[in-house]
Each structure stands twice: as structure tokens, then as C-alpha cells.
Amino acid sequence: MNTTPARPICCALLAAMLSGVGCETDPATPGGAATNPSGNGRDTTLPTTQYATRTTAAVDAFDEALARGIADNDERLALLQRRWSAVQRAVAAAGVDHEGAFYAARGYWHTGFLRSGDWSWQQSGDLDEPIVIDGRGTVLIQGNANADITVNDDAVVHILGDLNASLILRGAGEVVIAGSINPAGHLVAGGTLDLYTGGGVSGRITAQGSGVLVIDGPLIGNLTTGQPVTAMHITGDCIGQINAPDDAAALLTLRVDGYMPQASLQAALNSGFTRLTATIARSDAQPGLYPAHSDTEPAGRPTSRWVIHERAQR
């Protein structure tokens, strides 16, 4: 575990440094491949999910085995390492989809070169004691983050497990969480944010700057975007809260591959975005383009626009 203070880096260097534990072998599907429900209208405790790409399905193939719990801690950590290979491919795909996002992570995984030289903090297993890094920093947690992490400037953070505590970045951040942001998890970014989660978000995310947010699972928690521009892709269902920042011009582009009820979409629209543009795979509203001609705001004013592809009752 390296506790050496982070070396100063500029924002350009932040884009070129990053964490990762390279794994060249394809992840084996543990305990059989997890099924991905198609969202057929049945009431469930958690929202059903439909995964759109092979890369995201590869990440989720590990969920069933991890959910059952693994008594042997070394075996659990080894499984997280194998999932990391699938996460790398999913993040690489997201970087292409979002015009260069996750540049630091992809650069490190391709070259093995970490511009900062050494990790500001590297944890070989679960993090159970809080850490604070003054200045800019790189953090690698090879298990779950069960204690608070604070980086007092720009940061690159990789967590191979789940986030179960607060992750506070005072500056810009690039964050890859292979697992989920659980109910006790709270991510705060003071600047721009690139975020990938391999699981769902049932905790909170609070961003202040522009961001690319890729949630490979359901959003059932609370998310407040930054400004001026946020691009968000949710591969699962979206029944949580999406909020615009207070008193700030903010644009949101939203893609939901699963189910998003009309009430959740309307709440996001009412939260104050300057413009919200969305494509929703399934909702309880009629398929079509919204708003209708009769609902369009007067000429010259920004108008949110969204499309619903399929109607599915819950």
C-alpha cells in the first residue's frame, strides 16, 4: 500500500494517467451466465434490465456469482480481477461512443504507462479505513470501497468492487467502478466527471461540472448533474431521480436502454434543465416523439425533446 503524496499534475496529464489491473484473459462466466430480463411488465423489487451490447453483458455475467457471496476472500478478489477485463472492454466502447471519454483509463490499459509514476494510494483488497489525498491523486482499490475516499484536487479512481462509502473529488475526476454504487455510496465531483459503473446506482451522485456518466445497470438512486453539459447512458431501468443543478444552465442528453416511467421522466424535465434530449427504450407512455406540435414552446425558446420506442406497463 503506497501512501506517498500524489505528484502535481495538470489537467492534460490527468487525461493520460490511470489505474487498472490489466487482465489479458477473457473472463470466465462464473456459475453460469446471468440472465438479463427483458422487462415484460411484471412487478419486481428491483427493476428488470435489458442489456443492449455484448460488452456490457460480459460485465454482468459475473453478477450472479458475486450476489451469492463467496466465503473465500482470495477467491472473491480473484473474481473481481477477472471481471476487470470485461470492464476494460466496456469502458473502451464507452470512450468511442462518447468521443474520447475515459481517456486516462484507456491510455493506461493500452500502454501500461502511468504518467504519475506510482499510485497515490493502492489497496490490495477492500478499503476499510478512510483515506485523504492532498492535491491531485490516483487511487486503485482492488476490492470494495467501504470507507470514505477524499482527493483534494483532480483524480483518477478505479474500484474493482462496489462503492459503499463517500468518494469526494474536489476537482475533476475519471472514475471507473466495476461494481455498483450501493445505498451508502455517494460520489461527489467538484469538476468535470467521467464515470463508469459496471453495476447499478442505488446511492447518490452529485456532479458540478460537465460529465459523461455510463451506468451499466439500473438507476434507482439520486443523481444531480453538473453544468453545462452531461451525457448519460443507462443500460438498465431508470426509476431513480435525475436532477438539474440549482440555478445553473444545464443540458442533458439521456439514453435509457431499459424502462423509464413517465413520472420519472417528467420529474427530470421539471427539475430545471435548460434542455433535455432523451431516447427511452420502454415507458408507460405511448411510443412516439415528444412533445407533440401542440405542446411545443414558442419559437426561439429551448425545447426539450424525447422519444419513447415501446410501451410497457409495470
Side-chain angles (χ1 to χ4, degrees), residues 141-306:
I141 309 298
Q142 294 175 305
N144 296 327
N146 300 323
D148 294 348
I149 302 170
T150 302
V151 182
N152 287 319
D153 207 318
D154 298 344
V156 175
V157 179
H158 275 187
I159 300 171
L160 274 64
D162 298 332
L163 177 63
N164 299 313
S166 293
L167 171 57
I168 300 173
L169 313 178
R170 304 295 186 191
E174 183 175 299
V175 179
V176 178
I177 301 172
S180 300
I181 299 180
N182 288 325
H186 185 196
L187 169 59
V188 179
T192 59
L193 173 66
D194 285 359
L195 168 68
Y196 172 88
T197 69
V201 174
S202 52
R204 292 181 294 157
I205 298 171
T206 306
Q208 295 184 17
S210 294
V212 172
L213 312 178
V214 180
I215 299 171
D216 181 14
L219 172 65
I220 59 180
N222 188 298
L223 190 153
T224 300
T225 73
Q227 60 88 29
V229 180
T230 299
M232 189 184 315
H233 180 192
I234 302 169
T235 70
D237 297 341
C238 179
I239 61 174
Q241 294 180 313
I242 299 176
N243 308 303
D246 294 334
D247 302 322
L251 310 178
L252 173 63
T253 301
L254 173 65
R255 171 182 167 183
V256 178
D257 293 345
Y259 175 84
M260 185 174 190
Q262 191 172 14
S264 295
L265 178 58
Q266 194 60 53
L269 290 164
N270 293 341
S271 71
F273 286 104
T274 306
R275 183 189 294 260
L276 190 157
T277 306
T279 175
I280 311 298
R282 296 185 303 283
S283 184
D284 50 358
Q286 290 289 347
L289 302 176
Y290 293 87
H293 290 295
S294 59
D295 299 329
T296 304
E297 296 182 23
R301 293 186 59 190
T303 303
S304 294
R305 300 182 177 92
W306 62 99

Side-chain angles (χ1 to χ4, degrees), residues 106-146:
R106 295 184 294 117
Y108 179 79
W109 292 332
H110 279 290
T111 67
F113 180 60
L114 184 66
R115 288 291 288 268
S116 62
D118 295 308
W119 298 107
S120 304
W121 189 279
Q122 184 172 350
Q123 187 78 28
S124 59
D126 296 337
L127 178 71
D128 294 320
E129 298 290 338
I131 60 173
V132 177
I133 296 175
D134 292 328
R136 299 179 174 96
T138 54
V139 178
L140 172 63
I141 309 298
Q142 294 175 305
N144 296 327
N146 300 323

